[in-house]
Amino acid sequence: MTSFLELDVRKTLRAGGEPFAEIMAAVNGLGAGQGLRLLATFKPTPLFHVLGSKGFAHVERELDG
């Protein structure tokens, strides 16, 4: 069973910041059998491509609120 590290970058995005470095640091810190649950204010399609090139897959779901 996969365990997930949750990373919420919505506050950073709302403040006009760029969370790419924070996201990549989290990804690079993942261990075997771990995944990343990313909370963002938009669908990060470019990030899906970057992580896909590193062997990651994604599932997306829009949350209420």
Side-chain angles (χ1 to χ4, degrees):
M1 184 166 170
T2 303
S3 65
F4 289 91
L5 169 67
E6 188 168 289
L7 179 61
D8 189 345
V9 297
R10 293 175 292 186
K11 184 177 179 180
T12 301
L13 290 166
R14 287 182 183 125
E18 172 53 60
F20 185 76
E22 182 181 2
I23 294 167
M24 294 311 294
V27 167
N28 291 332
L30 293 175
Q34 284 189 304
L36 177 67
R37 181 171 291 128
L38 179 65
L39 302 173
T41 58
F42 65 95
K43 181 177 170 179
T45 303
L47 180 65
F48 296 154
H49 295 292
V50 170
L51 295 180
S53 72
K54 295 180 176 290
F56 289 91
H58 75 277
V59 174
E60 58 191 84
R61 186 176 75 208
E62 187 172 338
L63 303 176
D64 292 333

